[in-house]
Amino acid sequence: MNANSTLYPYFLKHPHICTDSRKVEKGDFFFALSGPRFDGNAFALQALRDGAACAVVSDEELVRKDNRCLYVPDTLVALQELAHTHRMHFDIPVIAITGTNGKTTTKELTRSVLAQKYAVLSTEGNLNNHIGVPLTLLRLTEEHEIALVEMGASGAGEIALLASIAHPTAGLITNVGKAHLEGFGSIEGVLEAKSELPEFLKAHGGTYFLNADDPRLFAKWASFAAITYGLDKDKHPDLSGVILRDHPFLELCVFTAEEPIEILTHLTGKYNYQNVLAATAVGLYFGIRPEQIKTAVEGYHPSNSRSQVIEWSDGITVIMDAYNANPSSMMAALKNLAELSLPRKIAILGDMLELGTASEAEHTAVVEWLKSEPEITPYLCGKEFRKAGEGTFPVYETSDDLVSHLSDIRIPAGSCILIKGSRGIALEKVLSALRELYQ
């Protein structure tokens, strides 16, 4: 990644980056990014009129119209190069987190842990792609002592690109599962793509934290990992733990070198233990005390429809986990539901998107599994589940269709309702309607 020396002096004078002309504030440094459905150059002059100090454009004609326009051949590449240039001015640890499931939860837990000792810069929300990572890095200031960067990908080469921009000094892969198969092709493709992070760390003398309970990751990266974590004692992880209970909230005992710590989280589902151990492993490596880690993890409350536990009257519990979904996370959530000892268990499931040619088989696999679990009453939503489950379970084309029939669903006291699906299915509408009916 080449340093963008031309733009960097402008950035130092105007460090607030804006890529949306509708949100321009006075003094912003505007980047006219373009996509399949829009051309940011068309909004550059308006951004300047609305208060932007200067605008990076890829249309040379705009430079002649306003000398505050700065021409580059590709505005996205310029943004990425600028971010790399800025990042390399900071001699601080930069930790990268990628993986199929749990990236954001792990990032938030790790941020909470590291904040016990450091001033932390971390990815906001899920701004984890080729635009979000540069924007995160460009928020670095002299006040920050450590940076935490989430990296997402839907195809090969994307993690390698993000690593070249962020130049992480440490990192981890949460796990490898079936997601974005349309772009990766297979779970082996997912493994190879996610492995671009430890490959970068290995080439640049970085530190890799390994989830020893993921068999694919362990087989490929055990010889390189500086620190391993997991529950599988046969793998002899450096950091291990025991799950004490998982409902309504996950509680586990983590065995650190100094002392065991019992942690009662606000997360639901035993699968979240991997996220807690990852944050603990990173925290210990960077000098956070065990009691501080306990305080940090116990103080974290999930939000934004990620493993949220919502308790209503009559003992009704809702597990809202509908920010995203793929076959791996879907089955983990369903198996967790199946293991709960409750009078009634209801699963409201939305389609898993971006699975490509594997979509029909994966949705059918979920339906077949549900057939073997009579204690779970499913309600399915989406075109893919309609093809796989129609005639077997209640199926609705859209979340709006499901909402219109919610009054037909009887939810007795003490029930647990799992709401799980891809963000594009909009199952948050179902949660709002259920709240009106039952809370």
Side-chain angles (χ1 to χ4, degrees):
M1 178 68 61
N2 295 322
N4 198 325
S5 57
T6 303
L7 295 181
Y8 198 58
Y10 288 92
F11 169 73
L12 294 178
K13 292 180 181 178
H14 310 287
H16 188 268
I17 302 293
C18 179
T19 61
D20 186 340
S21 61
R22 297 167 297 182
K23 300 178 180 179
V24 166
E25 297 180 0
K26 185 175 177 60
D28 278 359
F29 194 1
F30 179 73
F31 272 74
L33 302 181
S34 299
R37 300 184 187 87
F38 66 93
D39 180 0
N41 291 296
F43 307 103
L45 296 180
Q46 184 61 51
L48 291 170
R49 287 193 289 269
D50 289 342
C54 46
V56 179
V57 300
S58 57
D59 181 352
E60 291 185 273
E61 182 64 27
L62 292 173
V63 179
R64 288 187 280 272
K65 292 181 177 180
D66 193 315
N67 60 12
R68 292 174 295 172
C69 288
L70 310 171
Y71 171 77
V72 295
D74 187 313
T75 53
L76 175 58
V77 171
L79 179 70
Q80 293 169 343
E81 290 182 350
L82 180 66
H84 177 75
T85 298
H86 184 57
R87 178 266 175 271
M88 297 308 292
H89 278 75
F90 295 85
D91 184 19
I92 62 173
V94 175
I95 307 162
I97 296 176
T98 189
T100 299
N101 304 313
K103 291 186 297 295
T104 301
T105 300
T106 299
K107 176 207 67 184
E108 293 298 323
L109 287 169
T110 306
R111 172 168 62 179
S112 182
V113 167
L114 293 174
Q116 297 290 309
K117 181 177 179 180
Y118 301 99
V120 183
L121 170 78
S122 71
T123 303
E124 293 182 345
N126 68 330
L127 292 174
N128 61 15
N129 63 5
H130 59 298
I131 298 173
V133 168
L135 292 177
T136 297
L137 295 170
L138 287 167
R139 291 193 293 112
L140 271 170
T141 70
E142 295 294 339
E143 296 179 357
H144 293 116
E145 299 171 297
I146 198 164
L148 191 58
V149 182
E150 181 181 334
M151 296 182 175
S154 56
E158 294 180 17
I159 296 297
L161 170 65
L162 298 180
S164 72
I165 297 169
H167 203 90
T169 59
L172 64 90
I173 303 171
T174 57
N175 49 52
V176 170
K178 297 178 179 179
H180 299 295
L181 295 181
E182 194 170 21
F184 293 122
S186 65
I187 196 165
E188 289 75 20
V190 176
L191 173 63
E192 292 306 312
K194 300 300 183 183
S195 291
E196 291 166 9
L197 174 57
E199 285 169 357
F200 181 93
L201 294 171
K202 187 175 183 179
H204 294 84
T207 301
Y208 178 57
F209 300 86
L210 171 66
N211 176 4
D213 288 349
D214 188 299
R216 292 180 177 86
L217 289 174
F218 189 81
K220 188 174 180 67
W221 291 109
S223 61
F224 168 59
I227 296 169
T228 58
Y229 59 88
L231 301 184
D232 189 345
K233 299 297 193 301
D234 293 336
K235 302 287 182 61
H236 304 291
D238 299 307
L239 179 72
S240 64
V242 171
I243 295 175
L244 303 177
R245 63 184 170 115
D246 57 13
H247 183 77
F249 298 112
L250 173 68
E251 183 176 8
L252 66 165
C253 182
V254 180
F255 303 106
T256 72
E258 294 185 39
E259 58 181 307
I261 49 174
E262 290 190 9
I263 301 175
L264 176 58
T265 75
H266 288 90
L267 301 165
T268 185
K270 64 174 58 178
Y271 49 85
N272 272 301
Y273 84 82
Q274 297 180 359
N275 306 327
V276 174
L277 289 184
T280 302
V282 173
L284 290 171
Y285 181 81
F286 285 101
I288 310 299
R289 302 281 301 168
E291 64 272 15
Q292 293 175 303
I293 293 173
K294 173 181 170 68
T295 298
V297 175
E298 291 187 341
Y300 169 68
H301 292 255
S303 60
N304 203 16
S305 300
R306 298 178 188 273
S307 295
Q308 284 180 269
V309 177
I310 306 165
E311 295 180 316
W312 290 341
S313 58
D314 294 328
I316 295 174
T317 301
V318 180
I319 300 174
M320 183 60 179
D321 195 10
Y323 192 86
N324 53 38
N326 55 62
S328 301
S329 65
M330 180 69 78
M331 289 311 304
L334 284 171
K335 289 177 180 177
N336 178 70
L337 180 65
E339 293 173 2
L340 301 180
S341 299
L342 295 170
R344 190 177 186 199
K345 292 172 274 193
I346 297 169
I348 298 175
L349 308 179
D351 279 356
M352 303 171 287
L353 304 180
E354 297 183 54
L355 295 182
T357 57
S359 184
E360 182 176 352
E362 295 296 347
H363 284 85
T364 299
V366 172
V367 170
E368 291 300 315
W369 185 88
L370 288 167
K371 289 180 183 178
S372 68
E373 293 291 335
E375 290 187 356
I376 296 177
T377 302
Y379 297 89
L380 309 179
C381 180
K383 296 179 180 179
E384 294 301 311
F385 269 131
R386 176 175 285 281
K387 289 187 287 186
E390 194 162 35
T392 305
F393 300 118
V395 188
Y396 306 89
E397 187 82 6
T398 67
S399 56
D400 289 328
D401 293 334
L402 176 53
V403 165
S404 67
H405 289 85
L406 278 180
S407 58
D408 301 331
I409 301 175
R410 179 176 158 274
I411 303 177
S415 295
C416 183
I417 309 167
L418 169 67
I419 304 176
K420 178 73 177 174
S422 287
R423 177 66 186 84
I425 306 302
L427 291 182
E428 67 274 7
K429 296 179 182 179
V430 177
L431 176 64
S432 296
L434 280 173
R435 183 181 285 113
E436 290 183 11
L437 286 170
Y438 293 101
Q439 188 172 7

